[in-house]
Amino acid sequence: LDPDRVISMIPLRPYHVVADIGCGTGFFTVPLAKYVNQGKLYALDTREEMLEVCRQHLSAVHLSNVEVLHYKAKKLPLDKDSVDGAFLAFALHEAKDKEGFLTEAQRLLHRGGWLAVLEWYKRAMEEGPPLEDRVSEEETKELGQKVGLRFVSQRDLNGKSYLVLFRK
């Protein structure tokens, strides 16, 4: 995936405060942080070893507008209504409680804020998680709407994954 192409599909602005939830090693974190150069990016993950790699990537490009945060519990370590947007790249399928995970992401958003969910199509392919762990586009849309988000759009990313965009 080309992170810049993906970023062009979301309503991101240079002054936004954004949460990269499930940031992993920082594949999207660095390009997101470069884009929100007048704002702030929170990079969040449950795995400390992933965050360490993310910190190294951020350090290599000297970005100072990123706060890297570890979280364990179901509650994300940010305040209600504290971000303009939330970015979930290939994190929803890993959540045991998918509805709870999206509820928590929604809690962080300002009114009118956006949530971008990237996931693998729910079909057999060599790349990505096992088929039974995948979340279909329809299921993603239903979950988002169930937690009070408004569906905005859906885009194919590369024939293997999709992006669903919501607004609060």
Side-chain angles (χ1 to χ4, degrees):
L1 279 178
D2 175 3
D4 293 321
R5 184 172 157 266
V6 172
I7 288 169
S8 76
M9 296 178 188
I10 58 178
L12 187 63
R13 299 291 174 261
Y15 51 84
H16 274 176
V17 175
V18 177
D20 182 2
I21 304 169
C23 66
T25 60
F27 182 78
F28 285 103
T29 307
V30 170
L32 284 167
K34 285 179 178 177
Y35 196 92
V36 294
N37 54 19
Q38 298 162 40
K40 181 166 182 135
L41 183 75
Y42 293 98
L44 302 111
D45 207 289
T46 58
R47 297 173 305 221
E48 189 58 58
E49 63 276 9
M50 293 291 197
L51 291 172
E52 193 49 49
V53 176
C54 183
R55 283 185 192 98
Q56 290 167 9
H57 288 149
L58 290 164
S59 173
V61 291
H62 308 291
L63 291 168
S64 60
N65 62 334
V66 183
E67 192 173 335
V68 178
L69 300 169
H70 180 256
Y71 72 97
K72 288 183 187 168
K74 292 180 181 178
K75 187 171 173 12
L76 295 168
L78 296 173
D79 294 334
K80 181 181 188 334
D81 303 327
S82 63
V83 300
D84 299 296
F87 189 81
L88 273 69
F90 309 105
L92 184 60
H93 74 267
E94 292 186 8
K96 288 176 178 57
D97 175 11
K98 291 170 181 40
E99 187 178 332
F101 187 53
L102 286 183
T103 298
E104 189 57 11
Q106 186 263 86
R107 180 186 69 81
L108 305 181
L109 297 172
H110 294 303
R111 185 167 181 210
W114 55 267
L115 171 67
V117 180
L118 281 65
E119 270 303 332
W120 297 91
Y121 283 117
K122 190 163 183 137
R123 59 177 181 252
M125 58 182 105
E126 289 183 25
E127 296 176 67
L131 183 61
E132 62 271 10
D133 292 349
R134 295 176 188 227
V135 185
S136 72
E137 312 94 295
E138 281 307 313
E139 190 181 351
T140 299
K141 284 189 253 185
E142 287 171 16
L143 283 166
Q145 290 169 332
K146 196 172 181 182
V147 303
L149 295 166
R150 182 173 44 87
F151 170 74
V152 174
S153 64
Q154 177 186 323
R155 301 280 300 266
D156 175 68
L157 296 177
N158 58 2
K160 299 173 185 171
S161 50
Y162 62 87
L163 181 150
V164 173
L165 185 66
F166 297 100
R167 285 273 187 186
K168 183 171 181 178

